[in-house]
Amino acid sequence: MKDMTECHERLRGIFNITVTPFDAQGAIDFVALRENIERVIGLGYDGILIGGTYGEFPVMSLAERRSLFSEVMACVGDRIPVMLCSASADPREVRELTALAGDLGGLPMVTPPFVSEITQAQIHTFFCEMAPLSKTGILIYNAPGIGITLSPDQLVQLAEIPGVVGIKQGDLNPTAIDQIANRLGGRLRLFCASDLAFLGPMMCGFDGISTTNSGALPEIILATFRAVEQGDAETARSLHQLWYDYRALARQHGQPQLVKAAMALRGFNGGTVRAPLRPISPEALAALTRVMTTLASDPRSGVTLAE
């Protein structure tokens, strides 16, 4: 993407949150990463998100994140929009990665600083400083799980900053979703940050979702999203219910651990996780195998397992 206008036009739909595959030695497996990217592009995903929370950015060095951005953009080119997470506890790193993401033609995704006792005015100033660094603008990620939860009122204020092209909303409280959809819809792009519960935000008028579990279940999550887009609520609800047992395991054992284990069951290479995360336990793997086997028995899921 060359500028904010193009970014705003193309920023919609279903984006795969691509896990970062680490090999047994802990290095990024770029061959596996490219395979996983090509899979979702081939299936018709509208975009991808790289190096986000479930891409395990907090355990990567700045040099690794630079390489990740460059390798991915060299692979994808301009075929689909790419969100590149430039979040960090260190604003100096955010500045560098935000500028790099925009220069490469991606869209930087920026979180509020993870600093205790930071004021709303300081958060506003932070985004005012970051937005001009990227020629494609920035996407604000409201991520309660890793930092500060931005209120709807504060998001409305941040939306006035030149260069803010979208919000990825992680606080899925129905009241917050209702306020954001009706106060900001049409002004900038709104993304639901979770595939575990995206039907509500999409029905409220959000422009898209980002989905981690599509690394393991790309077919059924894509089909569910397309049904929502087409206004077929009955089909969307039925498909979403089909993988509830998987979602229950994801909530219990954590992402991206479960996603990578499920990818392995399908013959996809998601690699392993980095500490402090750990692979799921043998008991959890046994439960996941049962759930995936059940999904594979239903043709609606599109799931096949490795032999």
Side-chain angles (χ1 to χ4, degrees):
M1 298 180 289
K2 64 181 182 297
D3 55 30
M4 283 184 282
T5 300
E6 181 183 355
C7 183
H8 187 269
E9 289 174 353
R10 298 178 67 185
L11 193 61
R12 62 172 70 241
I14 181 169
F15 279 54
N16 166 252
I17 300 176
T18 309
V19 297
T20 307
F22 299 109
D23 65 22
Q25 289 71 46
I28 299 173
D29 185 340
F30 285 108
V31 173
L33 179 64
R34 286 191 289 272
E35 290 173 355
N36 296 329
I37 290 171
E38 293 297 343
R39 181 183 308 109
V40 295
I41 291 178
L43 286 169
Y45 275 70
D46 299 307
I48 58 174
L49 167 59
I50 296 295
T53 309
Y54 294 142
E56 300 178 72
F57 82 83
V59 296
M60 284 189 268
S61 69
L62 181 58
E64 285 179 314
R65 297 178 73 187
R66 289 193 207 102
S67 296
L68 183 66
F69 285 13
S70 298
E71 289 279 348
V72 166
M73 294 309 297
C75 169
V76 174
D78 199 41
R79 289 182 290 168
I80 56 171
V82 181
M83 299 174 184
L84 296 168
C85 178
S86 60
S88 174
D90 186 342
R92 294 168 297 182
E93 292 188 357
V94 181
R95 289 188 182 94
E96 179 175 339
L97 291 172
T98 296
L100 175 62
D103 289 345
L104 291 171
L107 172 64
M109 184 178 77
V110 187
T111 64
F114 347 134
V115 179
S116 62
E117 300 185 17
I118 191 167
T119 67
Q120 289 192 10
Q122 290 163 345
I123 292 171
H124 193 276
T125 298
F126 171 80
F127 283 115
C128 285
E129 292 173 352
M130 298 305 161
L133 301 177
S134 166
K135 66 181 182 181
T136 57
I138 65 170
L139 178 77
I140 293 177
Y141 181 19
N142 188 15
I146 61 171
I148 296 161
T149 302
L150 300 170
S151 69
D153 285 341
Q154 192 165 11
L155 289 170
V156 169
Q157 294 176 4
L158 294 174
E160 298 293 336
I161 298 173
V164 173
V165 298
I167 292 170
K168 191 175 109 158
Q169 176 67 4
D171 175 10
L172 301 184
N173 177 289
T175 300
I177 292 297
D178 183 53
Q179 292 185 52
I180 291 165
N182 285 282
R183 297 173 71 183
L184 292 176
R187 292 174 53 186
L188 71 175
R189 298 301 190 203
L190 302 177
F191 271 73
C192 172
S194 174
D195 53 17
L196 302 182
F198 72 88
L199 298 185
M202 288 304 301
M203 294 301 290
C204 284
F206 272 46
D207 300 290
I209 69 168
S210 59
T211 157
T212 307
N213 294 292
S214 60
L217 306 176
E219 302 91 349
I220 189 171
I221 296 175
L222 178 63
T224 307
F225 182 83
R226 295 298 184 223
V228 173
E229 279 190 319
Q230 294 160 13
D232 186 351
E234 182 177 351
T235 297
R237 183 171 58 251
S238 175
L239 290 173
H240 196 60
Q241 289 172 341
L242 190 62
W243 63 288
Y244 172 77
D245 289 342
Y246 176 101
R247 295 198 300 278
L249 289 177
R251 292 185 172 105
Q252 181 180 357
H253 299 291
Q255 304 168 85
Q257 305 96 304
L258 196 87
V259 174
K260 291 187 175 185
M263 289 175 72
L265 291 175
R266 297 204 61 186
F268 305 160
N269 188 356
T272 188
V273 292
R274 273 187 179 173
L277 299 182
R278 291 287 186 268
I280 63 174
S281 68
E283 295 78 13
L285 180 58
L288 175 63
T289 302
R290 290 192 294 270
V291 167
M292 293 293 286
T293 301
T294 300
L295 277 172
S297 70
D298 191 321
R300 293 176 297 167
S301 73
V303 171
T304 56
L305 300 182
E307 297 182 0

